[in-house]
Amino acid sequence: MSDLTRMTATELAGLVADGQTSAVEVTQAHLDRIAAVDDRVCAFLHVDTEGALSAARAVDERRAAGEPLGPLAGVPVAVKDVLTTKGVPTTVGSKILEGWRPPYDATIVQRLREAGTVMLGKTNMDEFAMGSSTEYSAYGATRNPWDTDRIPGGSGGGSAAALAAYEAPLAIGSDTGGSIRQPGAVTGTVGAKPTYGGTSRYGLVAFSSSLDTPGPCARTVLDAALLHQVIGGHDPRDSTSIPQPVPDVVAAAKLGATGDLTGVKLGVVTEFSGDGAEPGVLAAFRESVDALAKLGAEIVEVSCPHFSYALPAYYLIAPSECSSNLARFDGVRFGLRVGDDGNRSLEEVMQLTREAGFGPEVKRRIMLGTYALSSGYYDAYYGQAQKVRTLITRDFTAAFERVDALISPTTPSVAFPLGARTADPYQMYLADLYTIPTNLYGGPGISVPCGLSDGLPVGFQIMAPTLADDRMYRVAAALESVVGTLTPPAL
Ligand code: GLN
């Protein structure tokens, strides 16, 4: 058997279903790979060896008993540490939740289990999903497998790095402003942000509830679509979940893979295709646009004038929501408690706990959000940002009257060196310049590899109308049929 860790999820599921290999063998191969490389990559915060092997054994037993298996049965998956996992540590990359073992599974985790996938463990992330490099994790930075002196993106750098390092064929991320797509872009992997409400937030530790969207990460578009299908769909336990089935993203990925985009109209976002991006990123993007045109797509330029205001609007809306959501970490209900020596007041214990438990970026966001929501400033900041959000949504609506999907580079630069942006928060925020509009609008977006610049991966972003997630998979698979998958240098 050739190296199981190099295979796609589709291939692995096929081998397990045919009995050519067992789920235990597949799982063990990935656990071995993690043991061999993760001290250099640091993608995982927790590896659940026992849980993974026992889930794999259960799949093998079901197969032996002739029971039907789901399309991803026996395939390992790495889960971002933002989702609750029953009895398995969940830290959200923060000291404030160190040692917490949730009493319940997130809906997505439950669906992964029901589908027979094998959870390998929990992946590293920027604390509370705030960041673009994974350097804001309280447990140390994840490294980019393409160059371990560079960042793997964030906040879901652990999930993306696990894929690029062949530690897992599938992973789960969450995207509030780009945290699935930007890590996908800089690690040469595929990351999809579903339509808001298309994947359940039940058990997702909240950062910005009107933006947070969990979604699939993989090395191929079809694998991402299969994972999307397994985790997506209505969940009565999430009040913002859409009561509709997931569009047939798997069929769309298969259609796209035929390499025919006749009749598809794509809009290059004028504001995101100029000199804001690195020349190498723009060159790879332009080449890919030409490739899509050769596959039959009609390409036009579409101006979205309010997209330039998305970043400032996001940095008011997301911190505002976070300042409210993170109030629950009070040293009483979850995780860390500092200074509770019997002599201090409740307020003092809360203050000491939050001071010790949150890192600097999280504190910055809580302060920004508290200020933006304070009486007297609410209208000037939060209120204005909500108006900008409406204008951005209108840009999308107008664009989708003209084109089927919008396209741009995923991120303005390739993976930057560790430490390069930690001193300047604004530089860090700029990594999400092109991904944030989609979150404010609520539509789906995907990043797919489109080539290299100076030996580092470049991501291509496709943005579709809300509930038309299938469209972006079709275009992404078509591009993949030309570009292929990217293979990093050996670790
Ligand atoms: N990098 C952005 C931020 O820091 C987006 C994070 C995310 O999508 N979770 O807020």
Side-chain angles (χ1 to χ4, degrees):
M1 180 73 57
S2 57
D3 187 351
L4 292 168
T5 64
R6 298 280 156 158
M7 293 185 184
T8 64
T10 308
E11 288 164 345
L12 290 170
L15 291 177
V16 171
D18 294 348
Q20 292 181 54
T21 185
S22 67
V24 167
E25 271 179 284
V26 171
T27 301
Q28 193 59 56
H30 287 88
L31 291 170
D32 291 347
R33 175 74 181 167
I34 293 170
V37 302
D38 207 52
D39 57 337
R40 279 168 286 154
V41 180
C42 308
F44 283 87
L45 292 177
H46 179 81
V47 180
D48 187 16
T49 306
E50 276 320 303
L53 288 170
S54 97
R57 274 192 296 272
V59 170
D60 290 335
E61 280 160 21
R62 273 177 36 212
R63 190 188 169 275
E67 289 173 33
L69 298 178
L72 290 175
V75 180
V77 52
V79 175
K80 188 177 179 183
D81 209 25
V82 70
L83 287 171
T84 58
T85 41
K86 189 174 179 180
V88 176
T90 300
T91 68
V92 202
S94 181
K95 288 284 178 208
I96 212 155
L97 277 180
E98 192 165 19
W100 184 52
R101 288 176 190 260
Y104 70 106
D105 276 335
T107 295
I108 286 188
V109 171
Q110 189 191 333
R111 289 187 182 171
L112 287 171
R113 288 193 205 285
E114 283 165 6
T117 67
V118 173
M119 191 186 75
L120 293 170
K122 308 295 289 290
T123 57
N124 200 8
M125 56 185 285
D126 288 295
E127 186 177 4
F128 281 97
M130 298 170 195
S132 300
S133 68
T134 321
E135 291 166 294
Y136 297 145
S137 165
Y139 302 97
T142 299
R143 310 300 179 110
N144 192 323
W146 285 79
D147 174 350
T148 52
D149 291 330
R150 289 177 187 268
I151 59 102
S155 63
S159 284
L163 297 171
Y166 301 98
E167 294 172 281
L170 296 174
I172 299 292
S174 67
D175 194 310
T176 303
S179 285
I180 290 177
R181 289 163 287 161
Q182 182 259 2
V186 300
T187 58
T189 57
V190 177
K193 175 219 172 289
T195 294
Y196 176 82
T199 41
S200 169
R201 288 186 299 111
Y202 180 78
L204 176 84
V205 179
F207 160 15
S208 179
S209 306
S210 77
L211 302 165
D212 296 341
T213 315
C217 314
R219 286 192 297 264
T220 71
V221 175
L222 179 59
D223 281 1
L226 284 161
L227 186 56
H228 191 144
Q229 201 90 63
V230 162
I231 62 172
H234 183 236
D235 177 13
R237 289 182 294 188
D238 170 1
S239 63
T240 57
S241 168
I242 298 169
Q244 274 189 41
V246 187
D248 197 342
V249 290
V250 173
K254 288 180 177 164
L255 175 62
T258 62
D260 182 8
L261 288 179
T262 313
V264 175
K265 197 166 172 186
L266 300 174
V268 176
V269 179
T270 313
E271 287 74 11
F272 292 169
S273 52
D275 25 303
E278 287 176 358
V281 167
L282 275 184
F285 174 70
R286 287 278 161 206
E287 249 177 64
S288 301
V289 173
D290 291 345
L292 292 173
K294 285 204 187 86
L295 299 180
E298 185 188 341
I299 312 283
V300 295
E301 281 258 340
V302 177
S303 172
C304 299
H306 300 98
F307 280 18
S308 321
Y309 304 105
L311 192 81
Y314 172 88
Y315 276 99
L316 289 166
I317 293 169
S320 295
E321 294 185 12
C322 114
S323 70
S324 162
N325 274 326
L326 270 58
R328 63 169 64 85
F329 301 100
D330 55 8
V332 177
R333 285 174 284 193
F334 309 92
L336 189 71
R337 179 179 306 174
V338 176
D340 185 14
D341 57 7
N343 299 316
R344 288 196 172 89
S345 70
L346 182 62
E347 284 73 19
E348 281 175 302
V349 172
M350 281 183 191
Q351 264 176 18
L352 289 170
T353 301
R354 287 166 70 83
E355 169 60 31
F358 290 138
E361 182 62 24
V362 172
K363 286 178 186 157
R364 177 162 32 237
R365 306 274 181 119
I366 292 173
M367 286 191 281
L368 260 172
T370 305
Y371 185 76
L373 290 176
S374 58
S375 85
Y377 294 102
Y378 184 97
D379 288 341
Y381 293 110
Y382 185 75
Q384 281 298 102
Q386 291 290 22
K387 288 180 192 160
V388 171
R389 187 172 187 175
T390 302
L391 294 173
I392 289 164
T393 299
R394 287 190 194 151
D395 279 359
F396 272 107
T397 315
F400 292 137
E401 279 167 15
R402 291 182 55 202
V403 296
D404 297 305
L406 289 169
I407 52 178
S408 75
T410 307
T411 181
S413 76
V414 294
F416 46 87
L418 287 157
R421 299 195 185 183
T422 37
D424 183 350
Y426 185 64
Q427 287 305 315
M428 191 69 88
Y429 299 168
L430 283 175
D432 293 307
L433 194 59
Y434 302 159
T435 47
I436 283 175
T438 298
N439 297 78
L440 293 172
Y441 158 61
I446 193 168
S447 178
V448 60
C450 73
L452 298 176
S453 164
D454 289 333
L456 293 167
V458 177
F460 188 99
Q461 179 176 227
I462 303 143
M463 297 164 269
T466 47
L467 292 170
D469 304 47
D470 46 342
R471 271 189 219 174
M472 69 181 185
Y473 277 99
R474 179 177 176 193
V475 178
L479 184 58
E480 185 184 57
S481 76
V482 180
V483 175
T485 52
L486 304 180
T487 306
L491 268 169

